[in-house]
Amino acid sequence: MYLADYHTHSRRSPDAGTSMAEMAQAAVAAGLDEICFTDHIEVMDWHTHDLRSAPYDWTALEQEYQAALAALDGKIPIRLGMELGEAPFDFAETEKMMAGAPALDFIIGSVHALSAQYGHADLCFSTGLSEEECREQIRNYLELVLQLAKWGQFTVLGHLTLPLRYMNQNRTLPPVTFDGFESEVAEILRTLIQNGCGIELNTNRGHDPLPGAKWLRMYRELGGEIITLGSDAHSPRHVGCAIREGQALLRACGFTRFCTFEKQKAIFRDL
């Protein structure tokens, strides 16, 4: 069993505080065979509705990565990726930002915020919503994800069912699901497949996986093959969390392989 965590955050993310070297050492301690760093990089200033006030510091990202390589001294492969957030906010500006990027191994394309209709509100602030409000926000979110899928300048789509993470942890009512949005999700998955993009199974630091079995099976039945596993760790204690369980879930959903990446070229690994 080859164990790789392809969604991790170091102190190069504004919501994390640990060096890549320490996170990579945690990967070795957790028995992983490979780790990829996917720090948040967005066209907007963090938790604002404004375009970046300064260019992204790609040099600092590369220096952090090189320090991790030196610290680990070849114990396991360490890949450099990114979680590209909110590209639909301004695709043209996103492309300009990305023009300065180093040679990356992997790019997660993610949506964390709603459209201008909701003031570009971050999903993590979804609190006290009725079921009807939740479903309207899910619909809005899926519209943005479809735009992202059509753009397609990334490797895999991150945490497809992300709104459920926040809507359900902030509600005391019955859980919200994506049931009823089958046609929207299928269109997104077909678009990703057509554009040569994949999806991730985000193990959600051991909580409900994003997406769950229903949507993983849909992706597989539509012909989807490119899939990665990532814990979404923001600290060493979550590195590798539920990766083994995620592999078991993929097998149960009909997958026989998952992917790691080098220079954005897929390497298929047996499950």
Side-chain angles (χ1 to χ4, degrees), residues 219-260:
Y219 176 61
R220 187 70 197 96
E221 288 165 2
L222 289 170
E225 292 187 316
I226 297 173
I227 192 161
T228 59
L229 296 104
S231 65
D232 216 339
H234 285 65
S235 65
R237 68 191 181 98
H238 287 130
V239 172
C241 185
I243 295 297
R244 292 170 176 82
E245 293 85 346
Q247 289 198 6
L249 175 59
L250 289 182
R251 287 193 294 270
C253 292
F255 292 88
T256 59
R257 304 183 298 175
F258 72 100
C259 293
T260 59

Side-chain angles (χ1 to χ4, degrees), residues 13-122:
S13 289
D15 58 350
T18 307
S19 71
M20 284 187 190
E22 291 173 279
M23 294 289 279
Q25 287 161 354
V28 173
L32 297 187
D33 298 292
E34 186 171 334
I35 187 171
C36 182
F37 289 103
T38 55
D39 284 304
H40 289 292
I41 300 174
E42 302 181 342
V43 71
M44 306 153 73
D45 282 330
W46 184 251
H47 279 173
T48 76
H49 310 147
D50 303 317
L51 288 171
R52 276 194 167 275
S53 54
Y56 183 75
D57 191 349
W58 296 107
T59 299
L61 181 73
E62 287 190 274
Q63 289 174 341
E64 184 82 28
Y65 174 61
Q66 291 300 324
L69 288 176
L72 267 291
D73 193 26
K75 289 179 182 175
I76 61 171
I78 305 173
R79 306 299 183 195
L80 180 61
M82 62 178 285
E83 183 174 8
L84 176 61
E86 320 327 319
F89 183 76
D90 192 320
F91 285 123
E93 288 298 322
T94 298
E95 290 170 16
K96 288 180 185 177
M97 179 183 74
M98 292 299 296
L104 297 170
D105 293 300
F106 182 65
I107 301 172
I108 299 173
S110 295
V111 172
H112 304 93
L114 299 171
S115 74
Q117 176 185 343
Y118 291 94
H120 300 292
D122 195 298

Side-chain angles (χ1 to χ4, degrees), residues 4-16:
D5 191 340
Y6 260 62
H7 193 145
T8 65
H9 297 274
S10 77
R11 62 188 175 188
R12 295 309 308 162
S13 289
D15 58 350

Side-chain angles (χ1 to χ4, degrees), residues 84-193:
L84 176 61
E86 320 327 319
F89 183 76
D90 192 320
F91 285 123
E93 288 298 322
T94 298
E95 290 170 16
K96 288 180 185 177
M97 179 183 74
M98 292 299 296
L104 297 170
D105 293 300
F106 182 65
I107 301 172
I108 299 173
S110 295
V111 172
H112 304 93
L114 299 171
S115 74
Q117 176 185 343
Y118 291 94
H120 300 292
D122 195 298
L123 287 162
C124 71
F125 300 123
S126 297
T127 61
L129 300 177
S130 68
E131 183 174 355
E132 181 179 356
E133 289 170 326
C134 286
R135 294 189 71 76
E136 285 303 311
Q137 290 196 9
I138 289 171
R139 189 179 307 280
N140 184 267
Y141 165 82
L142 290 173
E143 289 170 356
L144 292 172
V145 174
L146 179 59
Q147 291 176 29
L148 181 67
K150 288 179 177 178
W151 181 64
Q153 296 185 37
F154 53 92
T155 319
V156 304
L157 175 70
H159 39 51
L160 170 62
T161 54
L162 179 66
L164 304 183
R165 173 190 285 173
Y166 302 112
M167 290 176 176
N168 288 327
Q169 77 181 20
N170 294 331
R171 283 164 43 92
T172 58
L173 300 175
V176 180
T177 73
F178 267 35
D179 290 348
F181 293 101
E182 287 82 1
S183 62
E184 290 90 343
V185 172
E187 184 177 8
I188 289 166
L189 296 178
R190 282 194 293 267
T191 302
L192 290 168
I193 293 167

Side-chain angles (χ1 to χ4, degrees), residues 185-226:
V185 172
E187 184 177 8
I188 289 166
L189 296 178
R190 282 194 293 267
T191 302
L192 290 168
I193 293 167
Q194 290 166 2
N195 284 341
C197 302
I199 67 170
E200 73 159 353
L201 169 54
N202 186 304
T203 66
N204 199 17
R205 300 186 286 272
H207 300 289
D208 290 343
L210 307 170
K214 174 177 178 176
W215 312 106
L216 293 170
R217 289 192 182 99
M218 176 184 284
Y219 176 61
R220 187 70 197 96
E221 288 165 2
L222 289 170
E225 292 187 316
I226 297 173

